Amino acid sequence: MRSRYTAYTRGDIGYIEATLAADRRGAFDAVAAKGWAARATWLGLRIVSTSSGQEGDTDGVVSFVATYREGGKTVEHHEVSQFRRDHDGAWRFVAGETRAVVSEPKRPAGTAKVGRNDPCPCGSGKKFKFCCGR
């Protein structure tokens, strides 16, 4: 699980695809995954729990929270992922049940609201409406 998270932070979508179970690769959208990985600013991974997945097990479950920023919002991606040990001994991702918790950035007390046509406070040089205001 940690190696898949690291691959997303580096945009290594080939690794993500290679760690999918063979019967799941046909439904994988590499272009969408690469776009998401590139748009996100990755903030961290927290493993909540694991079940099975030890030496001698053929299946395992990992519950985790991956936190990232996208479009000026912080997202906590909660997932319970199922893995299966492949014939070569490597763990492969089978399926995941996800939910996202999005939080709006909080404006410090006493600061003015950014207007749609104002420069974006993130420093991109774009208007707020074309950057973090989307």
Side-chain angles (χ1 to χ4, degrees):
M1 181 61 249
R2 287 181 179 92
S3 68
R4 287 175 54 85
Y5 170 81
T6 300
Y8 272 112
T9 67
R10 294 178 178 173
D12 187 357
I13 304 308
Y15 180 82
I16 298 297
E17 190 166 14
T19 57
L20 287 171
D23 58 336
R24 303 295 182 190
R25 289 186 187 145
F28 181 65
D29 186 345
V31 173
K34 187 161 189 74
W36 177 50
R39 286 189 312 273
T41 300
W42 298 93
L43 303 174
L45 173 69
R46 181 171 51 91
I47 303 296
V48 176
S49 65
T50 59
S51 174
S52 301
Q54 301 299 315
E55 193 69 35
D57 291 333
T58 57
D59 296 295
V61 177
V62 178
S63 176
F64 69 91
V65 178
T67 307
Y68 62 94
R69 289 191 51 75
E70 182 179 9
K73 298 177 182 172
T74 300
V75 180
E76 288 187 346
H77 175 92
H78 297 250
E79 184 168 329
V80 178
S81 294
Q82 299 172 6
F83 290 86
R84 176 175 58 223
R85 191 181 303 269
D86 212 346
H87 64 278
D88 64 359
W91 288 100
R92 306 285 186 220
F93 176 81
V94 177
E97 186 176 310
T98 65
R99 127 181 116 81
V101 177
V102 179
S103 61
E104 297 286 337
K106 293 191 170 76
R107 203 170 49 243
T111 59
K113 182 177 179 183
V114 178
R116 289 175 32 83
N117 290 315
D118 291 340
C120 190
C122 77
S124 68
K126 298 179 184 177
K127 287 185 179 183
F128 178 70
K129 66 183 178 185
F130 294 119
C131 190
C132 295
R134 284 192 152 177

